[in-house]
Amino acid sequence: MNSFYSQQAGCTVRWHDLPGTGDPVVFIHGLGCASSYEYPRVVHDPLFDARRAILIDLPGSGYSDKPEHYSYKTTDQAHVVAELIDHLELDSIWLYGHSMGGSIAIETAGLLGSRVKGLMVSEPNFHAGGGMFSRSIAAQTEQQFLEQGYDAMLSAEKTAWAGCLQSNAPYAVWRGASSLVAGVEPEWEALFLSLPCPVTLIFGELSLPDDDVDNLKQKGVEVKIIPAAGHSMSWENPSALARALAECMTM
């Protein structure tokens, strides 16, 4: 595992740089997740075509530091990812982000401009208001979530995601959720559609129907569907996600 000191977050950020061919794919995880936990099965799948992959644990998550003073807003997290790309002196990358990480990836692509060869996002937040999960967290005060909500959420969670959630600082989860509810201006969808690089929207079959899929298809966005999977597609069907990402990078 690698590390660098992020001036943006005021902490040490850690990532895996997994060797492979071609321009690297930078993976950005969602709320309560960590790329070091979520994506090894995807990038080691034969269908990923042995590409180089960078798996970042955002501040507050996984192996990265968890400073209490940091905002954990999507915009600030995007600046951390861009800071890492600068640190690695990468001139050409692919970006993939899931859920909140998809929103962060959209903002990161805007910061990096022509250095991004293509952006793939799976079930991101395109609009303010958050999803059901982030809204339920942000409906509590930060103090309530720290004192009761986080532990209650961990106790209730029976999926593999529980192992990842407990690697996240509760204040990072609350502030990230609140950032999704607050949104950004212009909205993530508008930013997504304005990017000069190729963009792809990925959705789990079990998450359909979805208004964003229908709307963006009508606007000419390439949409890929992961069979036999819902929102947690990297766990539910990692091979299909590996295939979809590889296809995006050969179009």
Side-chain angles (χ1 to χ4, degrees):
M1 176 157 273
N2 306 282
S3 65
F4 85 115
Y5 186 81
S6 166
Q7 297 293 332
Q8 174 70 35
C11 72
T12 297
V13 173
R14 297 177 175 86
W15 74 95
H16 288 296
D17 191 341
L18 303 179
T21 60
D23 294 315
V25 188
V26 179
F27 284 77
I28 307 174
H29 61 84
L31 184 65
C33 299
S35 294
S36 60
Y37 178 95
E38 190 163 356
Y39 298 119
R41 285 170 292 181
V42 176
V43 302
H44 284 296
D45 192 283
L47 295 176
F48 191 66
D49 290 340
R51 291 178 173 272
R52 182 183 174 190
I54 294 170
L55 313 185
I56 181 173
D57 285 354
L58 295 169
S61 305
Y63 290 104
S64 288
D65 287 356
K66 302 165 178 65
E68 291 191 43
H69 64 266
Y70 182 54
S71 76
Y72 298 100
K73 293 180 180 178
T74 61
T75 300
D76 290 336
Q77 298 282 45
H79 279 279
V80 170
V81 178
E83 195 179 13
L84 172 60
I85 304 308
D86 289 340
H87 173 79
L88 294 173
E89 299 181 344
L90 296 173
D91 294 324
S92 183
I93 65 166
W94 300 87
L95 273 176
Y96 169 72
H98 171 63
S99 196
M100 181 182 75
S103 306
I104 294 168
I106 291 169
E107 295 189 59
T108 302
L111 295 172
L112 296 177
S114 62
R115 295 161 72 181
V116 180
K117 294 186 68 173
L119 169 66
M120 298 82 74
V121 294
S122 59
E123 304 195 17
N125 295 75
F126 279 121
H127 313 283
M132 180 178 64
F133 174 62
S134 52
R135 284 196 300 270
S136 68
I137 294 172
Q140 306 168 61
T141 67
E142 181 170 354
Q143 193 62 32
Q144 287 171 336
F145 186 71
L146 295 183
E147 292 178 353
Q148 298 178 348
Y150 178 77
D151 287 342
M153 189 168 61
L154 267 179
S155 297
E157 188 59 46
K158 304 305 179 185
T159 71
W161 179 63
C164 193
L165 176 61
Q166 64 186 357
S167 78
N168 281 242
Y171 44 83
V173 175
W174 187 89
R175 294 174 198 173
S178 297
S179 176
L180 293 175
V181 171
V184 296
E185 186 61 41
E187 286 192 312
W188 292 294
E189 182 188 281
L191 295 172
F192 183 67
L193 293 172
S194 70
L195 292 171
C197 65
V199 296
T200 305
L201 174 61
I202 300 173
F203 247 78
E205 178 185 29
L206 303 180
S207 297
L208 299 174
D210 185 90
D211 289 342
D212 284 330
V213 171
D214 298 336
N215 176 46
L216 290 171
K217 272 186 177 179
Q218 292 176 3
K219 294 180 178 179
V221 173
E222 173 77 13
V223 176
K224 290 186 175 294
I225 304 301
I226 305 301
H231 191 67
S232 301
M233 59 191 73
S234 65
W235 309 334
E236 295 166 339
N237 199 341
S239 290
L241 179 57
R243 182 197 295 274
L245 294 176
E247 288 173 350
C248 292
M249 292 180 281
T250 55
M251 293 171 60

